[in-house]
Amino acid sequence: MEPLRSDDPRRIGPYDVVARFDTDGGQVPVPERRFIAWLSGGDRTVVISTPLPGVDAGRFAVEAAVARQGLPGPWIAPVVEVGGTPRAPWYASPYLPALPLTEALAVHRGPLPERTVRVLGAALAEALAALHAAGVTHGGLSPATVLLTADGPRLTCFGAVRAAGPDGEQRSGLPGLASGSLPPEQIAGGRPRPPGDIYALGSVLAYAATGHLVPERRELPEGLRRTIALCLTRDAASRPQAVQLLDELLPAQALAGMTGSGFASHGTVLDGAVSRASAALGPGWLPGRVIAALARQSAELLATEAATPSPYAPVAGLDADSMVSHIPAPQPYPPAALGSAYPPPASTGFPVSPAS
């Protein structure tokens, strides 16, 4: 989270823009411009995404509209609102205190613990498995598109590869794309398909475990070396499926060690199966410095709201510092509206770019 710059928008649709979501200076590009914004009155706080300069706004709008129709699973940040014009589209997701994976490593001052990497990978594998089962390719996974929250990761920036450049054209050097996260077939202009998501997942795990998108094999933790290597193979047909990675990342014995017992009683049931990632969440899944940074982000946003004139009337007899305690914290998107961002459980049709 960073203060707005002089050329940043102050209003997008009905929302007042209050901060940049992403910090500057990272080695991994972010495929969208992301801002924290709220409705006048402070009753809804969102992250608003807009296309980068040089990205085709029409393709960006198409991907946003597809995501708004509903993507399955709790590990994918839902798109709850789209708007704008053909030349300046935007979409909004509910705000949660969150750090992009790139910023989490900076806060932690180095690679993340193996437990964190395994839980992160399992959650992303569950997200991709749900997408691929519905015939959908994410086409945007990279370290900058993964957010860490206290209750698990969130995958964002659906369709970033498709928005950045059309199929059939070289994608190296395009705005917002991390070359180390793009599989060879997509760099050459190939259509994003599920094996490409697996390659991107391997690059995310490699980055989380080493701080590098394309590390030397010896840099990888021994326990993750084989799994990451399987994901990053250049032969798309040889990469594992997302569901196969769950046994690699969170085998039953590892979960028992994390939860103190069998994981079935700890995990959330998703689509009739227990979520291994949710079973492994709990105290210690995120390092202390990352937790502290999440708390700091919440405090900074509240302070920004306190300093913003207008939505709240003065309280008689209180000085400026005391008034902070009378200002409600930013509220998430209303639950009823958030629920509508997902399709009914029985739904299997997604009018999206098919996975194959």
Side-chain angles (χ1 to χ4, degrees), residues 4-10 12 17 19-22 30-36 47-55 60 88-91 157 176:
L4 293 174
R5 300 174 186 170
S6 59
D7 59 344
D8 285 334
R10 264 48 184 183
I12 298 177
V17 180
R20 285 179 162 239
F21 182 75
D22 296 288
V30 182
E32 302 170 351
R33 299 175 71 202
R34 299 188 289 203
F35 301 96
I36 299 177
V47 175
I48 292 185
S49 297
T50 64
L52 293 174
V55 169
F60 178 94
W90 57 267
Y91 71 84
C157 300

Side-chain angles (χ1 to χ4, degrees), residues 29-327:
V30 182
E32 302 170 351
R33 299 175 71 202
R34 299 188 289 203
F35 301 96
I36 299 177
W38 54 56
L39 285 180
S40 296
D43 63 347
R44 184 181 304 168
T45 308
V46 296
V47 175
I48 292 185
S49 297
T50 64
L52 293 174
V55 169
D56 185 288
R59 287 198 298 268
F60 178 94
V62 167
E63 299 298 333
V66 168
R68 174 66 182 90
Q69 293 168 6
L71 300 175
W75 310 124
I76 299 178
V79 172
V80 293
E81 194 172 354
V82 297
T85 66
R87 291 188 177 183
W90 57 267
Y91 71 84
S93 296
Y95 168 77
L96 288 173
L99 294 182
L101 181 59
T102 49
E103 189 176 342
L105 263 70
V107 165
H108 186 58
R109 303 175 188 171
L112 299 176
E114 185 170 333
R115 175 188 174 180
T116 301
V117 177
R118 286 183 177 277
V119 177
L120 168 66
L124 295 178
E126 288 179 353
L128 293 179
L131 286 174
H132 297 168
V136 182
T137 299
H138 185 275
L141 179 57
S142 80
T145 70
V146 175
L147 307 182
L148 298 186
T149 78
D151 64 349
R154 298 293 188 276
L155 180 52
T156 66
C157 300
F158 174 79
V161 172
R162 293 184 290 265
D167 298 340
E169 296 184 8
Q170 282 274 342
R171 292 193 175 95
S172 57
L174 292 181
L177 296 186
S179 58
S181 293
L182 283 177
E185 64 271 19
Q186 288 181 20
I187 291 177
R191 180 182 183 180
R193 297 180 185 276
D197 283 346
I198 300 302
Y199 186 98
L201 174 57
S203 77
V204 168
L205 297 179
Y207 181 86
T210 68
H212 305 126
L213 277 173
V214 188
E216 297 290 336
R217 182 179 175 86
R218 57 183 171 74
E219 294 182 75
L220 297 169
E222 186 175 353
L224 293 169
R225 199 170 291 165
R226 176 179 178 275
T227 304
I228 293 174
L230 287 172
C231 294
L232 292 179
T233 180
R234 295 182 65 83
D235 179 13
S238 298
R239 295 171 200 150
Q241 295 185 0
V243 291
Q244 295 174 309
L245 291 173
L246 291 174
D247 280 332
E248 293 273 342
L249 291 163
L250 286 182
Q253 60 269 29
L255 275 169
M258 292 179 188
T259 63
S261 64
F263 72 89
S265 61
H266 295 264
T268 301
V269 176
L270 302 175
D271 298 325
V274 175
S275 163
R276 297 193 182 204
S278 70
L281 292 172
W285 101 268
L286 280 180
R289 287 195 181 105
V290 176
I291 292 291
L294 293 173
R296 187 162 57 247
Q297 184 186 104
S298 295
E300 289 174 354
L301 185 57
L302 183 58
T304 300
E305 187 172 0
T308 301
S310 84
Y312 303 98
V315 180
L318 294 178
D319 59 25
D321 291 335
S322 300
M323 283 181 65
V324 173
S325 64
H326 288 257
I327 299 175

